[in-house]
């Protein structure tokens, strides 16, 4: 990640969901604890096993959370975008980083130190609840992923991933986060070739439609093959 960092304004902080309930006085106090950083495409924000020192909030760009395996393969745990945060686990349990986070495209991030983050949690119960809700959501997502790997074939895993990542846009379920077939393969534990075949079959069958970098789900539920 770029070594350069800059100060951040209260206006920027107010736009971050995590700090939406903060008063102007609280935001002004945070300004002295938070820095804004830039990350170039392909740069590592943090690496698995590193000491934990900061929490990061995404202002713009996308990043992948991944874990490496002994054979050199990687597993993508999630794709993060604007408004989301990462690095909180180690700040809470004082353990090393459990995963690596790599910038998929140029990113702007906010960084808050461990000491400042813990101080914020103690002083703001709404922030603590917001962090807890995200942790619970990520745990539920991990449970679903484990269930999918154990119970569904590749068709079912691709369908589940698309449904989980979709959002409602003008009455349609749309996957707005750009995902390459290689990314999907690493997220569901399959080969890129198999994912390509499944995506083609789903498109030919009319279950999904590719619109530029987005994917529209044509049925509420895309059935497993």
């Amino acid at each position: 990640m770029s070594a350069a960092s800059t100060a951040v304004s209260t206006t920027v902080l107010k736009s971050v969901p995590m700090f939406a309930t903060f008063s102007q006085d609280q935001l002004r106090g945070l300004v002295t604890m938070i820095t804004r950083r830039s990350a170039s495409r392909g740069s590592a924000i943090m690496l698995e096993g590193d000491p934990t020192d900061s929490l990061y909030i995404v202002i713009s760009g996308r990043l992948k959370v991944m874990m490496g395996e002994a054979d050199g393969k990687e597993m993508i745990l999630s794709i993060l975008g604007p408004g989301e945060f990462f690095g909180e686990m180690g700040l809470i349990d004082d353990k090393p980083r459990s995963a690596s986070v790599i910038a998929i495209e140029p990113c702007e991030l906010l960084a808050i130190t461990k000491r400042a983050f813990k101080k914020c949690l103690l002083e703001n119960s709404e922030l603590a609840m917001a962090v807890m809700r995200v942790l619970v959501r990520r745990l539920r997502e991990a449970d679903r992923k484990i269930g999918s790997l154990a119970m569904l074939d590749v068709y079912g895993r691709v369908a589940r991933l698309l449904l989980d990542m979709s959002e409602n846009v003008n009455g349609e379920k749309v996957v707005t986060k750009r995902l390459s077939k290689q990314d999907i393969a690493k997220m569901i534990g399959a080969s890129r070739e198999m994912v390509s075949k499944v995506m083609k079959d789903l498109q030919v069958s009319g279950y999904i439609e590719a619109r530029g970098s987005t994917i529209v789900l044509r049925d509420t539920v895309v059935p497993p093959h």
Side-chain angles (χ1 to χ4, degrees):
M1 183 166 62
S2 171
S5 61
T6 58
V8 60
S9 68
T10 56
T11 303
V12 171
L13 290 184
K14 192 66 176 178
S15 69
V16 175
M18 180 184 288
F19 305 127
T21 62
F22 277 41
S23 67
Q24 279 300 119
D25 285 342
Q26 288 175 309
L27 293 175
R28 280 191 287 269
L30 274 176
V31 163
T32 61
M33 307 179 202
I34 295 180
T35 54
R36 185 166 182 161
R37 302 181 183 180
S38 299
S40 58
R41 182 178 182 273
S43 62
I45 314 305
M46 63 189 202
L47 295 174
E48 185 178 351
D50 280 353
T52 301
D53 56 358
S54 300
L55 169 89
Y56 295 95
I57 304 164
V58 186
I59 299 299
S60 65
R62 295 185 307 138
L63 309 98
K64 60 180 178 181
V65 182
M66 50 166 284
M67 298 179 71
E69 298 180 2
D71 58 4
K73 294 180 180 179
E74 67 179 45
M75 180 73 167
I76 296 178
L77 304 179
S78 63
I79 304 291
L80 302 176
E84 297 183 280
F85 61 87
F86 59 93
E88 76 288 343
M89 288 176 58
L91 298 187
I92 294 172
D93 65 8
D94 293 316
K95 300 294 185 182
R97 300 295 193 188
S98 60
S100 300
V101 179
I102 311 296
I104 299 174
E105 56 195 33
C107 297
E108 290 292 322
L109 307 166
L110 298 182
I112 179 169
T113 65
K114 178 191 292 188
R115 182 178 179 182
F117 176 67
K118 287 188 174 181
K119 183 174 184 292
C120 287
L121 287 182
L122 289 173
E123 295 178 352
N124 191 293
S125 60
E126 290 187 20
L127 174 62
M129 285 301 298
V131 172
M132 288 174 62
R133 281 192 292 270
V134 170
L135 288 173
V136 170
R137 174 173 60 80
R138 290 176 178 171
L139 179 59
R140 290 184 187 278
E141 289 173 353
D143 286 344
R144 284 200 301 270
K145 182 173 289 186
I146 292 169
S148 293
L149 290 172
M151 300 170 60
L152 299 177
D153 62 10
V154 177
Y155 276 82
R157 279 180 260 160
V158 170
R160 173 66 58 81
L161 177 65
L162 294 177
L163 284 169
D164 286 347
M165 298 196 70
S166 67
E167 53 192 273
N168 194 296
V169 179
N170 297 323
E172 294 182 310
K173 283 190 173 293
V174 182
V175 179
T176 58
K177 292 182 179 179
R178 293 187 297 278
L179 288 174
S180 68
K181 293 182 177 63
Q182 185 65 40
D183 286 341
I184 293 174
K186 290 177 180 179
M187 294 177 81
I188 67 169
S191 69
R192 184 187 183 283
E193 292 74 20
M194 188 61 190
V195 168
S196 295
K197 180 182 184 303
V198 170
M199 294 290 285
K200 182 178 180 181
D201 285 353
L202 291 175
Q203 193 164 353
V204 169
S205 300
Y207 290 119
I208 65 174
E209 176 188 347
R211 293 181 188 169
S213 61
T214 64
I215 300 172
V216 178
L217 308 189
R218 281 305 187 187
D219 282 292
T220 303
V221 177
V222 182
H225 187 67

